[in-house]
Amino acid sequence: MMENRYIRCPYCGSVNYNKDEVIYCRNCHNKIGSKVEANLHTAWAMLVTAVIFYIIANIYPILVIDKFGVTSQNTIIGGVIALWDEGSYPIALIIFFASVFVPLLKFFLILYILTNYKKPKKGSKKVDQAKLYHFTEIIGPWSMIDVFVVSILATVVHFGNIKITAGIGATAFVLMVFFTMLSAMSIDIRLIKEGASGN
Amino acid sequence: MDENLDNLVICSKCHTVHKKIDLPYKKVAKCAVCGNKLYSDVENAFYKAVSYSVTALILFVVANLYPIIKVYIGSNQSILTIPSMVATLFDENFYVVGSIVLVVIFIAPLSVIFSYLALWVLTYFKIYKNFSKHIISFLMVSRNWAMVDIFGVSILVALVKLFGYAQIQPGVSAYALVLFILVDLIFLKSIKPVELWTYFSRAYDGK
Ligand SMILES: [Zn+2]
Ligand SMILES: [Zn+2]
């Protein structure tokens, strides 16, 4: 029970007293927790925006190739399939994991936290939630790989007869990454750590 | 307050509360529940980060000045540098992508380096205590946005995609970039917020 008396500031890592109200970190003065309900609205809004951009990013091309005046376009999934057909299995898997799977995993985790925070849970399950959240925080930025790859290709393949440019999908994708980060950041740390104490 | 919260540390991974102890030189404290690193010998970690941020700065400048790769397709030749990549994105009107790329592989890593250096100067002279606090907060945020390591992996992926169509040669900056990523991961990104704040309070209050 001792654990719930304290809360870790996500900005500076210092220990604060936990209260059921707005908490400002005693060290860096950032807001650690606010009224939980208000925070949830922001988190939901950001999540929905991120999902919309995710859908747009997958429908529209992320890459446009202009070869002797003939244009062809690649979506994220199209790019993965092309790599797979060429036999670049590891790279196809990396791109699939980073661009398709990681964002979905983050969406479902945030959704899970937002819909389950009220239900009382057994200690072990909540610890897993904290660990899973920590894990997605670490792998989250890796979803930027495909955007970097497109930017690199657009820079080096830029000639008169063959030219690669980024597509609208790339813009939607970086906005998706951005809003997912905002959504995760607006989740009150108390919703995640609550049961880390056991019961 | 009936107890000093500065003597406690909470695991960033599983949120278990621990009591801080003074660590011997070069020792690391780990979480009793999940084994995650809590903090290490503070002075040592900070001075390592500062001295390597000078190294990182030099490597970063080199990595930006010279080509990372040279690409030959038929009689055409092109080069990749970080500035040329951002410029291409802006030229093609991809302002959103260009801005985010600029932040995550240029502005954020430089912010991390300069924050370490500024913090070192300020704590050395024990001046501008409040400003130092802001620098630490800024450092932590910048560090989350610095993605040069991910950019490095992306170059390898791009090379695989170009393989077969183009001839590729690594440039001087390729080596500088690899070294920068190593220094960044081992020394600049591994220091924990708790270590910085402990160093901070020792530097100003002598605790
Ligand atoms: Zn704080
Ligand atoms: Zn732990």
Side-chain angles (χ1 to χ4, degrees):
Chain A
M1 205 68 236
M2 167 201 176
E3 313 267 330
N4 266 336
R5 287 184 56 203
Y6 307 110
I7 186 161
R8 178 183 183 275
C9 170
Y11 303 96
C12 73
S14 64
V15 180
N16 288 262
Y17 285 113
N18 195 5
K19 288 172 272 189
D20 276 330
E21 57 191 68
V22 182
I23 304 171
Y24 290 94
C25 176
R26 67 193 170 84
N27 180 40
C28 69
H29 310 297
N30 277 305
K31 211 202 274 185
I32 302 175
S34 53
K35 287 261 167 5
V36 171
E37 298 295 328
N39 243 329
L40 286 178
H41 287 301
T42 322
W44 271 112
M46 297 300 160
L47 180 65
V48 170
T49 315
V51 171
I52 292 170
F53 279 122
Y54 180 77
I55 294 167
I56 298 173
N58 274 285
I59 293 174
Y60 286 93
I62 191 166
L63 188 89
V64 180
I65 306 167
D66 186 335
K67 211 174 186 176
F68 301 108
V70 184
T71 53
S72 57
Q73 303 178 325
N74 251 339
T75 55
I76 293 172
I77 284 290
V80 171
I81 293 170
L83 279 167
W84 188 267
D85 287 343
E86 283 167 22
S88 311
Y89 304 120
I91 302 292
L93 286 175
I94 289 173
I95 298 284
F96 178 78
F97 189 76
S99 310
V100 183
F101 185 72
V102 168
L104 281 180
L105 184 68
K106 264 200 121 162
F107 290 158
F108 281 115
L109 183 75
I110 294 171
L111 196 67
Y112 179 82
I113 293 170
L114 290 181
T115 49
N116 282 272
Y117 79 101
K118 273 179 183 160
K119 296 176 195 162
K121 230 161 266 120
K122 283 182 192 141
S124 60
K125 268 195 176 172
K126 281 271 187 159
V127 172
D128 287 344
Q129 187 177 316
K131 277 188 187 155
L132 197 58
Y133 184 81
H134 184 79
F135 176 65
T136 57
E137 287 282 271
I138 290 171
I139 58 168
W142 286 91
S143 52
M144 284 291 285
I145 282 191
D146 219 13
V147 172
F148 285 142
V149 171
V150 168
S151 308
I152 293 165
L153 293 178
T155 309
V156 296
V157 186
H158 207 80
F159 308 117
N161 44 17
I162 178 165
K163 194 174 160 189
I164 290 179
T165 46
I168 300 168
T171 302
F173 196 87
V174 291
L175 288 171
M176 182 276 293
V177 173
F178 187 69
F179 281 105
T180 310
M181 272 176 106
L182 287 186
S183 178
M185 275 160 60
S186 46
I187 291 181
D188 196 313
I189 184 90
R190 281 172 291 186
L191 294 185
I192 303 155
K193 70 142 261 176
E194 213 86 298
S197 55
N199 31 40
Chain B
M1 297 227 178
D2 51 341
E3 62 191 321
N4 190 353
L5 291 179
D6 285 326
N7 292 332
L8 298 174
V9 56
I10 298 178
C11 172
S12 64
K13 194 168 165 187
C14 71
H15 294 277
T16 309
V17 181
H18 297 75
K19 277 210 174 65
K20 262 193 233 168
I21 50 162
D22 270 334
L23 283 179
Y25 183 65
K26 285 194 173 179
K27 288 286 185 222
V28 175
K30 285 185 178 157
C31 173
V33 175
C34 72
N36 187 31
K37 180 187 161 194
L38 294 174
Y39 57 95
S40 59
D41 165 43
V42 172
E43 311 288 320
N44 192 39
F46 181 75
Y47 288 118
K48 244 199 297 197
V50 168
S51 51
Y52 278 97
S53 56
V54 178
T55 315
L57 182 61
I58 296 167
L59 290 170
F60 192 74
V61 170
V62 174
N64 274 278
L65 283 180
Y66 301 98
I68 299 168
I69 48 170
K70 292 175 191 162
V71 176
Y72 304 91
I73 299 177
S75 57
N76 298 312
Q77 188 206 331
S78 64
I79 55 163
L80 174 73
T81 64
I82 292 174
S84 74
M85 190 169 96
V86 175
T88 306
L89 289 168
F90 276 95
D91 281 348
E92 305 279 343
N93 298 329
F94 278 90
Y95 299 112
V96 178
V97 181
S99 307
I100 293 207
V101 167
L102 181 67
V103 167
V104 300
I105 63 174
F106 191 85
I107 296 175
L110 276 182
S111 303
V112 172
I113 292 171
F114 284 115
S115 299
Y116 274 120
L117 295 176
L119 199 59
W120 176 64
V121 173
L122 295 184
T123 52
Y124 183 84
F125 292 107
K126 299 191 184 195
I127 47 171
Y128 301 117
K129 187 176 175 183
N130 263 327
F131 186 58
S132 290
K133 268 191 173 187
H134 290 299
I135 293 179
I136 297 182
S137 301
F138 179 67
L139 174 66
M140 288 302 143
V141 176
S142 318
R143 209 165 67 162
N144 286 340
W145 285 91
M147 302 182 185
V148 180
D149 43 353
I150 299 168
F151 176 64
V153 173
S154 307
I155 295 175
L156 296 180
V157 173
L159 291 186
V160 171
K161 286 199 170 193
L162 286 169
F163 195 74
Y165 309 100
Q167 276 190 303
I168 299 139
Q169 252 183 21
V172 181
S173 288
Y175 306 104
L177 201 64
V178 169
L179 290 176
F180 173 85
I181 291 170
L182 290 177
V183 168
D184 187 37
L185 286 180
I186 299 172
F187 300 105
L188 305 190
K189 280 193 169 180
S190 69
I191 191 166
K192 294 274 170 176
V194 175
E195 295 169 357
L196 277 176
W197 289 109
T198 313
Y199 171 81
F200 172 84
S201 52
R202 275 189 203 167
Y204 284 102
D205 311 328
K207 282 195 278 195

PDB file of all heavy atoms in Angstrom, chain A residues 9 11-14 16 25 27-30, ligand 1:
ATOM      1  N   CYS A   9       7.325  11.765 -11.114  1.00  0.00           N
ATOM      2  CA  CYS A   9       7.104  12.800 -12.126  1.00  0.00           C
ATOM      3  C   CYS A   9       7.627  12.292 -13.465  1.00  0.00           C
ATOM      4  O   CYS A   9       8.795  11.934 -13.577  1.00  0.00           O
ATOM      5  CB  CYS A   9       7.832  14.098 -11.749  1.00  0.00           C
ATOM      6  SG  CYS A   9       7.823  15.306 -13.090  1.00  0.00           S
ATOM      7  N   TYR A  11       8.281  13.888 -16.061  1.00  0.00           N
ATOM      8  CA  TYR A  11       9.180  14.851 -16.710  1.00  0.00           C
ATOM      9  C   TYR A  11      10.585  14.806 -16.127  1.00  0.00           C
ATOM     10  O   TYR A  11      11.562  14.854 -16.845  1.00  0.00           O
ATOM     11  CB  TYR A  11       8.630  16.270 -16.602  1.00  0.00           C
ATOM     12  CG  TYR A  11       7.257  16.382 -17.203  1.00  0.00           C
ATOM     13  CD1 TYR A  11       6.124  16.296 -16.402  1.00  0.00           C
ATOM     14  CD2 TYR A  11       7.099  16.523 -18.573  1.00  0.00           C
ATOM     15  CE1 TYR A  11       4.856  16.375 -16.954  1.00  0.00           C
ATOM     16  CE2 TYR A  11       5.847  16.588 -19.135  1.00  0.00           C
ATOM     17  CZ  TYR A  11       4.721  16.519 -18.327  1.00  0.00           C
ATOM     18  OH  TYR A  11       3.487  16.576 -18.881  1.00  0.00           O
ATOM     19  N   CYS A  12      10.691  14.773 -14.793  1.00  0.00           N
ATOM     20  CA  CYS A  12      12.025  14.848 -14.197  1.00  0.00           C
ATOM     21  C   CYS A  12      12.370  13.636 -13.352  1.00  0.00           C
ATOM     22  O   CYS A  12      13.485  13.516 -12.873  1.00  0.00           O
ATOM     23  CB  CYS A  12      12.179  16.125 -13.379  1.00  0.00           C
ATOM     24  SG  CYS A  12      11.276  16.103 -11.830  1.00  0.00           S
ATOM     25  N   GLY A  13      11.412  12.727 -13.147  1.00  0.00           N
ATOM     26  CA  GLY A  13      11.713  11.498 -12.422  1.00  0.00           C
ATOM     27  C   GLY A  13      11.705  11.630 -10.911  1.00  0.00           C
ATOM     28  O   GLY A  13      11.892  10.640 -10.200  1.00  0.00           O
ATOM     29  N   SER A  14      11.480  12.840 -10.377  1.00  0.00           N
ATOM     30  CA  SER A  14      11.538  12.970  -8.928  1.00  0.00           C
ATOM     31  C   SER A  14      10.254  12.470  -8.267  1.00  0.00           C
ATOM     32  O   SER A  14       9.206  12.365  -8.887  1.00  0.00           O
ATOM     33  CB  SER A  14      11.814  14.419  -8.538  1.00  0.00           C
ATOM     34  OG  SER A  14      10.747  15.214  -8.952  1.00  0.00           O
ATOM     35  N   ASN A  16       7.059  12.511  -5.788  1.00  0.00           N
ATOM     36  CA  ASN A  16       6.109  13.461  -5.194  1.00  0.00           C
ATOM     37  C   ASN A  16       5.076  12.702  -4.386  1.00  0.00           C
ATOM     38  O   ASN A  16       4.883  11.507  -4.574  1.00  0.00           O
ATOM     39  CB  ASN A  16       5.373  14.223  -6.295  1.00  0.00           C
ATOM     40  CG  ASN A  16       6.261  15.231  -6.997  1.00  0.00           C
ATOM     41  OD1 ASN A  16       6.252  16.411  -6.688  1.00  0.00           O
ATOM     42  ND2 ASN A  16       7.050  14.751  -7.948  1.00  0.00           N
ATOM     43  N   CYS A  25       4.675  19.096  -9.873  1.00  0.00           N
ATOM     44  CA  CYS A  25       5.919  18.504  -9.384  1.00  0.00           C
ATOM     45  C   CYS A  25       6.647  19.498  -8.470  1.00  0.00           C
ATOM     46  O   CYS A  25       6.800  20.664  -8.818  1.00  0.00           O
ATOM     47  CB  CYS A  25       6.805  18.113 -10.549  1.00  0.00           C
ATOM     48  SG  CYS A  25       8.402  17.489 -10.049  1.00  0.00           S
ATOM     49  N   ASN A  27       9.667  19.554  -7.860  1.00  0.00           N
ATOM     50  CA  ASN A  27      11.003  19.840  -8.354  1.00  0.00           C
ATOM     51  C   ASN A  27      10.983  20.670  -9.646  1.00  0.00           C
ATOM     52  O   ASN A  27      11.544  21.766  -9.699  1.00  0.00           O
ATOM     53  CB  ASN A  27      11.747  18.517  -8.579  1.00  0.00           C
ATOM     54  CG  ASN A  27      13.149  18.721  -9.083  1.00  0.00           C
ATOM     55  OD1 ASN A  27      13.848  19.621  -8.629  1.00  0.00           O
ATOM     56  ND2 ASN A  27      13.551  17.927 -10.041  1.00  0.00           N
ATOM     57  N   CYS A  28      10.273  20.176 -10.694  1.00  0.00           N
ATOM     58  CA  CYS A  28      10.310  20.877 -11.984  1.00  0.00           C
ATOM     59  C   CYS A  28       9.036  21.683 -12.249  1.00  0.00           C
ATOM     60  O   CYS A  28       8.928  22.355 -13.269  1.00  0.00           O
ATOM     61  CB  CYS A  28      10.563  19.894 -13.124  1.00  0.00           C
ATOM     62  SG  CYS A  28       9.195  18.784 -13.450  1.00  0.00           S
ATOM     63  N   HIS A  29       8.067  21.590 -11.360  1.00  0.00           N
ATOM     64  CA  HIS A  29       6.814  22.357 -11.432  1.00  0.00           C
ATOM     65  C   HIS A  29       5.914  22.023 -12.614  1.00  0.00           C
ATOM     66  O   HIS A  29       4.975  22.743 -12.900  1.00  0.00           O
ATOM     67  CB  HIS A  29       7.085  23.872 -11.397  1.00  0.00           C
ATOM     68  CG  HIS A  29       7.989  24.260 -10.268  1.00  0.00           C
ATOM     69  ND1 HIS A  29       7.634  24.071  -8.958  1.00  0.00           N
ATOM     70  CD2 HIS A  29       9.241  24.784 -10.257  1.00  0.00           C
ATOM     71  CE1 HIS A  29       8.643  24.472  -8.183  1.00  0.00           C
ATOM     72  NE2 HIS A  29       9.622  24.905  -8.946  1.00  0.00           N
ATOM     73  N   ASN A  30       6.226  20.934 -13.321  1.00  0.00           N
ATOM     74  CA  ASN A  30       5.317  20.499 -14.377  1.00  0.00           C
ATOM     75  C   ASN A  30       4.072  19.865 -13.760  1.00  0.00           C
ATOM     76  O   ASN A  30       4.118  19.352 -12.655  1.00  0.00           O
ATOM     77  CB  ASN A  30       5.990  19.466 -15.278  1.00  0.00           C
ATOM     78  CG  ASN A  30       6.846  20.113 -16.340  1.00  0.00           C
ATOM     79  OD1 ASN A  30       6.365  20.951 -17.090  1.00  0.00           O
ATOM     80  ND2 ASN A  30       8.110  19.744 -16.381  1.00  0.00           N
TER      81      ASN A  30
HETATM   82 ZN    ZN C   1       9.113  16.951 -12.082  1.00  0.00          ZN
END
